[in-house]
Amino acid sequence: MGGRTKIFIDAGHGGADPGAVGNGMRESDINFEVAEMLGELLSANGFKIMLSRPAVDANLEADGRLGISTRARMSNTWGADYFISIHTNAAGGTGAESFYWNSTAKKFSQTVLKTYCKQMALRNRRNEMTDRWGVIRDTNCPAILFELAFIDAPANKSDVTILRYRRREMAEALAKGVCNYFGIVPRLNTATAADGRGAGLNQTVRIKYRGRVTIINATNTGGRFITNFAEMAKVFPDAEIPVRTTLESAGKTVNWNDTTRTIVVT
């Protein structure tokens, strides 16, 4: 069924609106990253995907002319079959929760939430029907608003660790929930060699910088995030380091050699 199903994925907030903030993180950044990865994973499982925010700083304001949210309008115009708005919770608590506004989305919401909480070992707070949010109320298809975890939880709670270091796993858990709803065995290792992302699960890549080559393991994000940098791993064994983004923000040029499986930094 996946190949016939169109899913609109909304990364909540963005632009001038950071959403909730806490523990040195912004909700809009987390939502955007998880939404992008979720879209990638669901595409690999045969779904047709559209994302609301084309960039992390995109600003999606309410459309006064139509009287509905821009995000709902985009979904309706595209003809989405299902709608997922991704958010990060705040204001006291721990765990994940999902909201839907009419009964057509109840089972979808419940399945995604139950799967996600099991995968992430998070408290299942509630799966609740509400007309509070126009972003799901104004859509023409079954729609849910999903709260990943609490950004302002105490620093020693798993919510904070998950939001900071395990965003890929959150996307995978959501994708698994969607696939479970449709009765699809999920394919979650979507790594390819293209565009510098060329290592699959339990494979290695080499980083070459100033003539020195370092061999490292890559996660199943395909080299976009790298684990076990020698010194970082001693302190943060579960951390994922955004290699390309970090290096490019430092003014470096990053290229992938598919033949030698080497990331060349200049």
Side-chain angles (χ1 to χ4, degrees):
M1 185 175 180
R4 300 191 302 273
T5 303
K6 300 167 72 174
I7 299 181
F8 188 93
I9 302 173
D10 168 41
H13 304 280
D17 176 14
V21 294
N23 288 291
M25 297 179 287
R26 304 193 319 165
E27 178 185 359
S28 58
D29 298 332
I30 297 168
N31 299 344
F32 178 78
E33 189 172 333
V34 173
E36 277 214 317
M37 290 187 286
L38 176 59
E40 172 189 313
L41 289 162
L42 291 180
S43 292
N45 281 278
F47 294 92
K48 296 179 180 178
I49 300 300
M50 183 175 182
L51 302 174
S52 64
R53 271 203 273 155
V56 68
D57 59 351
N59 207 8
L60 299 176
E61 300 297 341
D63 189 327
R65 178 177 59 84
L66 294 178
I68 65 173
S69 75
T70 298
R71 302 160 199 262
R73 176 177 56 80
M74 291 169 66
S75 175
N76 294 343
T77 300
W78 184 54
D81 297 309
Y82 288 83
F83 180 103
I84 303 173
S85 186
I86 296 175
H87 288 259
T88 305
N89 223 333
T94 59
E97 50 192 24
S98 187
F99 299 92
Y100 58 97
W101 103 269
N102 64 42
S103 59
T104 62
K106 181 177 181 178
K107 185 177 180 181
F108 180 54
S109 180
Q110 185 178 51
T111 302
V112 173
L113 177 63
K114 183 177 179 180
T115 304
Y116 176 87
C117 289
K118 181 179 180 180
Q119 290 294 117
M120 302 307 300
L122 278 171
R123 174 189 174 194
N124 185 332
R125 287 175 57 87
R126 57 180 165 172
N127 180 50
E128 184 175 290
M129 182 174 177
T130 180
D131 63 357
R132 178 179 176 184
W133 293 291
V135 70
I136 56 174
R137 188 182 62 242
D138 296 335
T139 56
N140 295 335
C141 63
I144 67 175
L145 188 148
F146 197 94
E147 300 277 7
L148 297 167
F150 278 77
I151 197 171
D152 60 350
N156 64 339
K157 296 296 184 181
S158 59
D159 290 54
V160 177
T161 301
I162 287 169
L163 291 172
R164 178 169 286 129
Y165 298 125
R166 300 174 61 191
R167 297 176 189 178
R168 175 70 179 197
E169 292 176 61
M170 287 191 288
E172 290 179 348
L174 290 171
K176 186 173 182 179
V178 172
C179 289
N180 285 349
Y181 175 77
F182 286 100
I184 297 171
V185 177
R187 175 178 176 263
L188 300 180
N189 183 11
T190 61
T192 67
D195 192 29
R197 302 185 298 157
L201 184 63
N202 297 325
Q203 297 185 30
T204 60
V205 295
R206 303 187 304 164
I207 292 184
K208 183 178 182 180
Y209 181 49
R210 294 183 177 177
R212 179 181 177 182
V213 175
T214 303
I215 298 176
I216 56 177
N217 291 325
T219 67
N220 64 346
T221 57
R224 182 188 302 170
F225 296 92
I226 303 297
T227 59
N228 85 321
F229 275 89
E231 296 303 318
M232 287 291 289
K234 294 175 184 176
V235 183
F236 304 110
D238 297 323
E240 292 186 331
I241 312 302
V243 174
R244 177 180 287 273
T245 303
T246 301
L247 291 173
E248 289 181 342
S249 67
K252 303 298 181 182
T253 299
V254 183
N255 292 298
W256 172 254
N257 186 317
D258 192 29
T259 301
T260 62
R261 299 184 62 76
T262 302
I263 298 171
V264 180
V265 183
T266 56

